[in-house]
Amino acid sequence: MTDLNTIARNYITAWNESDAARRKALLEAAFTSDVSYRDPVMQGDGHAGIAALIDGVQQRFAGFRFSLKGQPDGFADRIRFSWNLGPEGAESVIEGTDIGVIENGRLKSVTGFLDKVPAQ
């Protein structure tokens, strides 16, 4: 049985990790090697592609942290979970919901939706 909480936590932990060597191991635990990620503003493929996305988000939003919002749910090989992004201990600035396809306990694809974004 797939543990949706573990999959979502592994995902969030990878996005929060700033050390490249530690993140590499987290990416291997959270994502299949051929993972694809798509959201309205960015996309990446494979562990290297996801690592580049994470680097970009961490540079743009220095000091911000991801956290899970609510509980993940899913069925069959699908998972849905929501997240917050903002300064630790403060209200989130960005919020989103991601839908993933699971293969052997890891994410094979992720489609992200932005639920709350700051005004431009």
Side-chain angles (χ1 to χ4, degrees), residues 64-65 67 69 83-87 90-95 116:
F64 283 26
R65 304 283 293 167
S67 62
K69 179 180 178 181
W83 48 264
N84 301 303
L85 176 63
E91 185 176 338
S92 61
V93 175
I94 301 171
E95 296 177 5
K116 174 185 169 185

Side-chain angles (χ1 to χ4, degrees), residues 39-102:
D39 75 22
V41 295
M42 59 187 187
Q43 61 185 36
D45 295 302
H47 292 168
I50 302 294
L53 296 178
I54 292 171
D55 282 337
V57 168
Q58 290 182 0
Q59 288 174 18
R60 182 166 182 198
F61 300 102
F64 283 26
R65 304 283 293 167
F66 284 92
S67 62
L68 282 175
K69 179 180 178 181
Q71 294 293 315
D73 66 346
F75 64 92
D77 65 347
R78 309 286 185 211
I79 184 173
R80 175 180 64 177
F81 56 94
S82 296
W83 48 264
N84 301 303
L85 176 63
E88 199 159 4
E91 185 176 338
S92 61
V93 175
I94 301 171
E95 296 177 5
T97 299
D98 291 353
I99 309 294
V101 175
I102 301 166

